Amino acid sequence: MMDLDTLNAVREEATQALSRFQLSDALACLLALTSECDNQQLSHQAHTLQQNYDSMLSFLSHGGNDDNRQQIQIQLARNIYYTLQATHRCWRINDGRDIYATTYHHLQKNAPQPLSADALFTLWKEVKDTTRRFEIQDSFFDYLWTSPTFIPKDTALWFEFIDSQDVDFQRYLLSALFLSSWEYFDEEKWVLLRLFLDSETEAIRAQGVCAYALLSKKYTSLLSFLPELNKDIPERAVSELEEFLRNSFIIPQSISIQKKMEKEAIYQLLKSDVDASQSSSDEEEESQDKHIRQLNRWRKDCVDFHAHSMAIGRKDFFFQRVCHWMAPFDIERPECTVSNTEKKNAGSTLLSSSVIRQMFECDNDQYAFSFLIQHNEKMFPQQVQDQLLEHFGGTDVHRIPYSPHTCWLRNLFRLTCLSPWSQEFADPFSPFPELIHLPQIESHLTAQGKIRFAKLLMRYCEHAQALPLIKDVTHDLGATAELLKMEATCHLKCGNDSAAIYAFTQASILDDSDEEILSSLQTCLNRTQNYEQQEQVLLKLIRLNPDKTSYIKELALCYYRQDNFEKALQYFFEMEYKLPGDFFTLRYIIRCYWESDRMDNAWKYADKLISLPGEKAFNDYLLAGHIAFIRGEWHRAVSLYREYVGVYLKEHEKDSSDPSFYYLNDWNKLSQRGISLQDFALMRDTFLHSPT
């Protein structure tokens, strides 16, 4: 047995499906509701609607065509929606547990019998006493709120009755009318509301405008199949409606902004509370100020540090957030001071055990320490040497993973060149010339040495380190095509496309026969979507190597990306001549015709592609199905969509999504080529209705 929450969810799902004209989904929801509602008439209506729609889908899936299909679809959607509302209302009344049903049953029990609008009007006329009339006003409100669908006769009777009452009672009844329409759409109640938009009483007109605007907003998504609701609105009401809608947008926006500002203010307040709790005493505040001053001093001295390598936790909050590479430079800190015991036990040890422990817990620092200890064994306790030896099994540079080279070399450089004890350490780099990408060493290289060193760095993907070396040589010896090509490659690897394009362009000027330079340049231009310049470079490449199909393909794609489909087709046809039956070429020929809205030509090549032996991608069938759909070949389109689903399932074995709905993502493409939302939804339902 369904509960009210489930009932509302199913109704909402059906309504959303109807707004997209997905009638199969809406009918499935409707049948689920009628099976829970003890009403044979509604159940019969639902099954009749299902049978009518199945007949329509069968007709279309077998190649039939009906120029009136959209009108039939709209009428079916409207009938499904009315039956859905009636079923939902029937279930609620039978369930009898929410306030709507309770009000309905209370009215049926206590109002005049048999209950009807005429009976209420008669009772009102018979009761002349004002107090007694006041007592029965609730019956009118409850009746309007819980009443079933109106017919035109009801609209006329209720307008005459409401219009003859005093202003307060009119507003009371208009509220009931609004609630009733909010619960369930009723065309005649909308008409009744519209009649009060022209009232001479400002309060009545304002309430009517408010109700009409809110209901219009609620049912906006259904206006594609609901009757025309905005006809015959009085001219004065139109301007008032526009003003109301404008204010109803501005007010929520201003509230939203205000709430956002309040949240930010609360966040700042909470943050200040947290900061205050972390520095609850004057001493801690003074300590933090000292740390900040020290930090600023290091920054001023250009001491680089990376806070992410902090590994060991400490009580001091600020120290936890600061990179431990600061520690060796601050000999005043208690943590960094070498104790007398350490001096006595370790002899000439310069670093405190706490600093050593910190560095040892960071992977990058362990590498740096292994090199440092190799040349300065007497400066470190034996236990530190043993730990590192046990961890690494030796300090051979070739055993160290390449990925952290940059970090641990930088760390080693800090210890040996920036720390207060740098003069005490022996140089750990001398046995390893391949690791010398440090400015102090690079400055002693000759021009040829710099070029060799730059190539070595590029081989190790250290392009940012190689770039200044190349520029130094270029400045000293002048630009050559080879140097500019190296510089451009470094820029490219560093993500600086514009600088890479400039360097490749200059290199091509010096040597316009170097195919590698031109090829790299066109790749950069393609990445930056500079298709006009790419076109010129590709034409040069084709002149240098006219038989290389990859250049022809790139030029065709270049024209395609510029929406120059005629030029693109010229080179794609050349590709087809050189590589007959190539799937890639045929796909782009189809797309060129598709983008230029030449569906007959697109269909010719789509049919050819589908007919070729070999496995096709699911998108091949999908696009072919779209083309057949646009050409009005419903039966062929359904068949191709079916093929598409089979290939899609094969290519996405672990994909849990339903592939039958995947082509809904192409709605924009189809709508731009004349397919209406109704036909799109009808094709979807036809496709789902087709036998597997």
Side-chain angles (χ1 to χ4, degrees), residues 390-612:
E390 179 182 355
H391 187 77
F392 289 102
T395 58
D396 185 0
V397 66
H398 300 292
R399 299 176 62 89
I400 299 175
Y402 176 73
S403 58
H405 273 190
T406 301
C407 290
W408 71 259
L409 282 172
R410 184 171 61 239
N411 295 348
L412 188 58
F413 175 69
R414 287 175 177 136
L415 278 175
T416 57
C417 301
L418 297 180
S419 73
W421 311 282
S422 58
Q423 300 300 320
E424 304 291 335
F425 291 124
D427 180 16
F429 295 100
S430 55
F432 307 103
E434 68 270 32
L435 298 178
I436 53 174
H437 43 308
L438 293 170
Q440 285 77 359
I441 300 173
E442 292 165 4
S443 62
H444 297 291
L445 292 174
T446 64
Q448 291 302 318
K450 287 182 179 179
I451 293 175
R452 287 196 300 271
F453 186 49
K455 288 181 177 180
L456 176 65
L457 292 172
M458 290 172 68
R459 187 164 71 246
Y460 288 146
C461 297
E462 297 284 354
H463 295 90
Q465 301 285 345
L467 192 56
L469 291 173
I470 298 168
K471 288 186 175 182
D472 285 347
V473 177
T474 303
H475 179 269
D476 294 338
L477 302 182
T480 65
E482 182 66 21
L483 283 173
L484 287 168
K485 181 166 64 173
M486 290 175 63
E487 180 183 342
T489 303
C490 289
H491 283 305
L492 188 62
K493 294 296 184 180
C494 293
N496 193 344
D497 289 336
S498 59
I501 290 172
Y502 179 79
F504 275 130
T505 303
Q506 296 302 309
S508 68
I509 293 173
L510 294 176
D511 186 358
D512 62 357
S513 63
D514 191 318
E515 194 172 328
E516 183 183 354
I517 292 174
L518 291 172
S519 180
S520 299
L521 175 57
Q522 78 86 17
T523 301
C524 289
L525 294 168
N526 181 42
R527 279 176 50 172
T528 56
Q529 301 181 3
N530 190 344
Y531 300 128
E532 292 183 3
Q533 193 175 345
Q534 183 193 12
E535 173 191 342
Q536 301 305 316
V537 175
L538 283 166
L539 288 171
K540 289 181 182 178
L541 284 167
I542 291 173
R543 285 196 293 270
L544 288 172
N545 196 340
D547 295 326
K548 193 163 184 177
T549 55
S550 63
Y551 296 153
I552 299 172
K553 181 180 76 172
E554 287 299 327
L555 183 58
L557 289 171
C558 180
Y559 285 124
Y560 177 82
R561 291 164 183 146
Q562 295 179 78
D563 295 337
N564 190 343
F565 302 118
E566 288 300 327
K567 276 282 191 180
L569 282 169
Q570 175 185 336
Y571 287 95
F572 280 129
F573 283 139
E574 185 176 345
M575 283 281 295
E576 188 192 22
Y577 176 77
K578 293 179 179 291
L579 300 172
D582 179 59
F583 282 5
F584 178 89
T585 305
L586 287 173
R587 285 173 184 137
Y588 271 94
I589 291 174
I590 297 166
R591 291 179 186 177
C592 285
Y593 283 129
W594 164 272
E595 295 293 347
S596 54
D597 290 327
R598 287 180 280 179
M599 294 303 159
D600 291 340
N601 300 75
W603 175 249
K604 173 184 173 182
Y605 285 92
D607 192 42
K608 179 179 179 179
L609 175 62
I610 297 301
S611 303
L612 285 173

Side-chain angles (χ1 to χ4, degrees), residues 17-32:
L18 286 171
S19 71
R20 300 187 295 266
F21 279 100
Q22 295 170 2
L23 305 191
S24 291
D25 293 351
L27 280 166
C29 294
L30 177 59
L31 291 171

